Amino acid sequence: EKGNGNQSASYPENINYYTLLANDFSSIKMLEMGATDSGEPLHLVIFNPEKQFNLAEIQKNKAVLLINNSIHAGEPDGIDATMQLFRDLALGKIKIPKNTIVSTIPVYNIGGALNRNSTTRANQDGPEIYGFRGNSRNYDLNRDFIKSDTRNTKSFAELFHKLNPDVFIDNHVSNGADYQYKLTYIMTQQNQLGTVLGTYLDTEMMPSIILDLQKKNIETTPYVNAFSETPDNGFMQFFDSPRYSTGYTSLFNTIGFVVETHMLKKYTDRVKATYEYMRSTIDFMDANYTQIKQMRLQNEKQYAPKNSYSIKWEIDTVKVSKFSFLGFEAGHKKSEVTTGNRLFYDRSKPFKKDIPYLKEYKSVKEIT
């Protein structure tokens, strides 16, 4: 914030910042929560005005939000947005939740964050320097949740189960198609999450968060997972299997979101959108914490022994919905680099049109 708006905190700056916050405010605590492949410890930072930081106790009377940043360290929007969020909570600059504890892994992919560069995210509009996608052993940590080949993942699992968060946010930056949105999202696939919690997420929680963002003049769309070369032909809900963070957390009745800001938008705008998504989620959790916790318990009853359990899902092509998509007209033109033609989006030709969207999955294999 002190610079030109196009810088992101380095890993040492980030940890020093939270150390300062924890020293200055008794509502914030920073804990070391296991090893990572980089040799640096994984940290957990908790904001709780009641100054209760016992992981076995904080889940009892309040909802718990866990925010994960920099699983892909070249996508640092969440790093800076969460630093701002914790500062503003500590200072009382924003509404302090009464029924929600906010926690964060400030930097998950520490090895990638230490490997700073300015060339591995082609066309990303800032920041000037950022981390690398792979971790210190070049693992993609967002493919490792079931395999657990890395120390990062093993430490995450231990942290996650000690904390038992009700809601999980994983902050990312998206590439690919061009469109008008600064922010896209992936929510835990509702069919896989279970009928009780999945329906609640799909019909109540997600629409409320979207509406709150619209009040802040932030339009959003599901993650653009296009059928074809351009998104105006429609797309389907992303399949977040348990190799991914939100697919993993959904196995334990935790509602998950992946925030995907759009890499072709300015860094300051992306950080702001990430910040506001987290705030909208906190506000919803705080107003509905009792219901969320009850829904989790009800949802868990579906998975008792001797019940049928789905282990394979496919998109249901029969159930097609529509929504208004804010995009840009696309075409092809001669490449300045090769002899062929390339796809381009014309930002002087924005459009709003109804496109098909497939959001329902069906079970195709079950076990008892």
Side-chain angles (χ1 to χ4, degrees), residues 53-81:
F53 304 106
N54 184 329
L55 300 189
E57 297 292 325
I58 62 175
Q59 174 60 243
K60 290 183 179 178
N61 300 314
K62 293 188 177 186
V64 177
L65 170 65
L66 174 60
I67 300 162
N68 190 40
N69 292 315
S70 191
I71 195 169
H72 295 145
E75 306 169 23
D77 303 21
I79 289 178
D80 297 296

Side-chain angles (χ1 to χ4, degrees), residues 284-300:
F284 182 90
M285 290 177 65
D286 213 46
N288 299 278
Y289 78 105
T290 302
Q291 191 172 14
I292 291 172
K293 297 180 84 65
Q294 289 174 346
M295 289 284 181
R296 288 189 75 201
L297 293 173
Q298 291 176 32
N299 203 69
E300 192 171 353

Side-chain angles (χ1 to χ4, degrees), residues 56-123:
E57 297 292 325
I58 62 175
Q59 174 60 243
K60 290 183 179 178
N61 300 314
K62 293 188 177 186
V64 177
L65 170 65
L66 174 60
I67 300 162
N68 190 40
N69 292 315
S70 191
I71 195 169
H72 295 145
E75 306 169 23
D77 303 21
I79 289 178
D80 297 296
T82 308
M83 290 168 72
Q84 294 173 16
L85 177 71
F86 270 70
R87 176 201 61 199
D88 292 351
L89 286 169
L91 290 171
K93 290 179 67 176
I94 58 176
K95 180 182 175 183
I96 295 176
K98 295 180 180 179
N99 308 306
T100 304
I101 290 168
V102 183
S103 66
T104 186
I105 299 172
V107 178
Y108 182 46
N109 180 3
I110 299 170
L114 292 170
N115 186 11
R116 284 165 74 81
N117 71 92
S118 58
T119 56
T120 53
R121 294 280 293 173
N123 300 323

Side-chain angles (χ1 to χ4, degrees), residues 146-309:
I146 284 296
K147 297 190 288 98
S148 293
D149 284 332
T150 66
R151 293 181 184 88
N152 301 62
T153 307
K154 293 184 175 87
S155 293
F156 177 92
E158 185 174 355
L159 177 160
F160 176 80
H161 290 291
K162 283 182 177 178
L163 193 63
N164 187 21
D166 299 285
V167 178
F168 174 76
I169 294 177
D170 200 5
N171 286 318
H172 287 247
V173 183
S174 180
N175 54 15
D178 198 2
Y179 35 77
Q180 297 177 47
Y181 304 97
K182 295 172 184 172
L183 186 147
T184 75
Y185 65 87
I186 300 169
M187 72 176 193
T188 301
Q189 209 289 313
Q190 68 274 8
N191 306 108
Q192 298 176 68
L193 186 56
T195 55
V196 176
L197 202 56
T199 300
Y200 178 72
L201 168 63
D202 185 37
T203 61
E204 294 189 47
M205 186 172 185
M206 194 73 246
S208 294
I209 292 173
I210 292 170
L211 183 62
D212 196 52
L213 288 168
Q214 286 174 336
K215 291 176 182 176
K216 303 172 184 178
N217 295 316
I218 299 174
E219 293 289 342
T220 187
T221 178
Y223 178 72
V224 180
N225 190 27
F227 295 146
S228 58
E229 190 176 39
T230 58
D232 50 307
N233 293 318
F235 49 92
M236 67 182 73
Q237 183 169 346
F238 184 80
F239 181 72
D240 56 339
S241 73
R243 73 191 303 208
Y244 303 102
S245 61
T246 53
Y248 175 82
T249 59
S250 73
L251 295 176
F252 308 99
N253 293 299
T254 295
I255 293 171
F257 301 101
V258 175
V259 176
E260 292 269 5
T261 53
H262 190 218
M263 70 183 299
L264 300 181
K265 305 301 187 293
K266 289 187 179 301
Y267 189 58
T268 47
D269 294 339
R270 295 181 352 234
V271 171
K272 176 66 173 174
T274 304
Y275 176 95
E276 292 299 343
Y277 191 98
M278 293 188 292
R279 278 194 64 191
S280 294
T281 303
I282 292 168
D283 288 345
F284 182 90
M285 290 177 65
D286 213 46
N288 299 278
Y289 78 105
T290 302
Q291 191 172 14
I292 291 172
K293 297 180 84 65
Q294 289 174 346
M295 289 284 181
R296 288 189 75 201
L297 293 173
Q298 291 176 32
N299 203 69
E300 192 171 353
K301 292 177 182 177
Q302 296 172 90
Y303 303 112
K306 298 183 181 178
N307 283 359
S308 179
Y309 185 82

